[in-house]
Amino acid sequence: MRAARTLMARKGIGSTSIQEITETADVGFGSFYNHFTSKEAIAGAVMEEAIESFGDAADQLAETIEDPAEVLAASVRHAVMRAASDEAWGWFLIRTALARADGFRRGLGRRLARDIRIGVERRRFTVEDPVAAMLATGGAILAIIAGRLQGEIGSDAPERAAALVLKLLGLPTKEAGRVAKRPLPAIAAQPTRES
Amino acid sequence: MRAARTLMARKGIGSTSIQEITETADVGFGSFYNHFTSKEAIAGAVMEEAIESFGDAADQLAETIEDPAEVLAASVRHAVMRAASDEAWGWFLIRTALARADGFRRGLGRRLARDIRIGVERRRFTVEDPVAAMLATGGAILAIIAGRLQGEIGSDAPERAAALVLKLLGLPTKEAGRVAKRPLPAIAAQPTRES
């Protein structure tokens, strides 16, 4: 995994071969298949790890930001920014997030569900139908990420996504726009790809 | 295409072979590859056609419904219902809709963009950021369809999806809930799979 992560970060997934991974890891070529069925399988595992690492980093936002709406907005902004700067990460998220039966019990879906729940409990969010709102919020973020990667929406997509999500969760329009533009704390996410 | 459509409708995509398709179409096995690279390719073409046929049928809603909010709500309800009754259709939509660069210039995305534009022009929808709202609406519908196929949301998903989408487009909560539950006209969409 470490060898694959390093090589894929340096060269991209397409240019990394199984042979290079096993050579870098100093193990036999055949032993690869004791752990993974294909290069796509190990690339998927590397991406899962990168998404989890991003999620852990974004979790730190709640330590310095008090307002649950601002916590969610900051996470959404970072996710859209990350996808734009690391397209393989963004496309992996788009391809996998809706296709998983346990999407809201793992990864970024679990964190989104948690952040919405906290906002509802603290009366910052007002949702009539929490399940539908949670699904819709997740789908809206993914679609704006896809739109960003396809050039439908520009470099201000992070703030526009955050404002829209906050409106969807019941904040008045102006308030949503204001919270979406507050100063954004950096997070310590590791890049998938070295830049 | 007609042979593939009929066989896949009757037996499902997984149980239909290229040989059966060419035998039913009364053409040589090899000639299949003049038109399609694989069974997945022709299955994709059949699905595209089924989505287009659904879109054409849903387009008829605007002929009998005056309110643009109700037109959109009815289309959303029919799409969620269709996905629940024809999972292959639903999953194809989820897998392909966000991955296309021209997603809002074709298929159901084009129709969604049109219906939102009409609602905005007729002052029925109030959106601050039309591009972000359009992306978010599409993503929200797809995510609720995915949630429906995965059992996260029950058989009232069509109305809940419609209410949420109308709220996202600026209708007040109660009004959105009311419009989402108006009597739903039938549409003449062809099923992909015979039932």
Side-chain angles (χ1 to χ4, degrees):
Chain A
M1 277 290 288
R2 192 164 60 226
R5 187 167 54 238
T6 308
L7 284 164
M8 288 172 173
R10 193 180 307 148
K11 308 174 56 172
I13 291 168
S15 310
T16 301
S17 68
I18 293 176
Q19 191 173 350
E20 283 172 295
I21 296 169
T22 52
E23 276 173 10
T24 304
D26 204 16
V27 298
F29 180 80
S31 72
F32 176 90
Y33 294 98
N34 297 333
H35 304 281
F36 298 99
T37 54
S38 64
K39 193 178 82 174
E40 284 62 43
I42 197 168
V46 166
M47 278 298 169
E48 294 269 6
E49 203 184 56
I51 287 173
E52 202 57 31
S53 153
F54 170 86
D56 287 345
D59 281 350
Q60 298 156 13
L61 290 164
E63 290 168 19
T64 53
I65 303 175
E66 183 57 32
D67 175 7
E70 190 178 346
V71 170
L72 181 57
S75 295
V76 169
R77 290 163 73 186
H78 275 295
V80 178
M81 283 163 54
R82 169 63 178 263
S85 69
D86 184 352
E87 298 204 3
W89 186 92
W91 282 117
F92 184 83
L93 198 62
I94 293 165
R95 273 204 315 277
T96 57
L98 295 184
R100 293 224 147 102
D102 60 350
F104 285 104
R105 281 177 288 282
R106 57 182 287 165
L108 302 190
R110 174 175 65 76
R111 293 174 167 95
L112 175 64
R114 176 202 61 200
D115 289 347
I116 293 177
R117 199 171 49 242
I118 292 172
V120 169
E121 281 166 8
R122 291 170 60 183
R123 313 261 168 115
R124 182 67 163 137
F125 298 147
T126 319
V127 289
E128 303 292 309
D129 182 343
V131 171
M134 195 170 70
L135 288 164
T137 304
I141 297 166
L142 291 171
I144 292 175
I145 287 176
R148 175 76 182 108
L149 295 183
Q150 287 158 349
E152 296 275 345
I153 188 167
S155 60
D156 55 354
E159 289 70 38
R160 290 162 73 183
L164 199 136
V165 160
L166 294 180
K167 268 198 71 179
L168 206 157
L169 296 170
L171 267 73
T173 303
K174 280 190 183 167
E175 170 78 353
R178 242 192 329 259
V179 174
K181 282 180 194 148
R182 286 197 192 141
L184 181 64
I187 59 171
Q190 299 295 315
T192 316
R193 195 180 179 107
E194 289 166 6
S195 51
Chain B
M1 277 291 286
R2 190 163 62 225
R5 186 167 55 237
T6 308
L7 285 163
M8 288 173 173
R10 194 181 306 148
K11 308 174 57 171
I13 293 167
S15 310
T16 301
S17 69
I18 292 177
Q19 191 172 352
E20 284 172 292
I21 295 170
T22 52
E23 277 173 9
T24 304
D26 204 15
V27 297
F29 180 80
S31 73
F32 176 89
Y33 294 97
N34 296 335
H35 305 281
F36 299 99
T37 55
S38 64
K39 193 178 83 175
E40 285 61 44
I42 197 169
V46 165
M47 279 298 169
E48 294 268 7
E49 202 183 56
I51 286 172
E52 202 57 31
S53 152
F54 171 86
D56 287 343
D59 282 348
Q60 297 155 13
L61 290 164
E63 291 168 20
T64 53
I65 303 174
E66 182 56 32
D67 175 8
E70 191 179 345
V71 169
L72 181 57
S75 295
V76 169
R77 290 162 75 185
H78 274 297
V80 178
M81 284 164 53
R82 170 62 179 266
S85 69
D86 184 352
E87 297 204 3
W89 187 92
W91 281 117
F92 184 83
L93 197 62
I94 293 164
R95 274 205 315 277
T96 57
L98 295 184
R100 293 223 146 102
D102 59 351
F104 284 104
R105 282 177 287 281
R106 57 183 283 165
L108 303 191
R110 175 176 63 78
R111 293 175 169 94
L112 175 64
R114 177 202 58 199
D115 290 347
I116 293 175
R117 198 171 50 241
I118 292 172
V120 169
E121 281 167 8
R122 291 170 60 184
R123 313 262 169 114
R124 182 67 164 136
F125 298 147
T126 320
V127 289
E128 301 294 306
D129 182 343
V131 170
M134 195 170 70
L135 289 165
T137 304
I141 297 167
L142 291 171
I144 293 177
I145 287 176
R148 175 77 183 109
L149 296 183
Q150 286 158 350
E152 296 275 345
I153 188 168
S155 60
D156 55 354
E159 289 70 37
R160 290 161 73 183
L164 198 135
V165 160
L166 294 181
K167 268 197 70 178
L168 206 157
L169 295 170
L171 267 72
T173 303
K174 281 189 184 169
E175 171 78 353
R178 243 193 326 261
V179 174
K181 282 180 193 146
R182 286 196 192 142
L184 181 64
I187 60 171
Q190 299 295 316
T192 318
R193 195 182 178 103
E194 291 167 6
S195 52

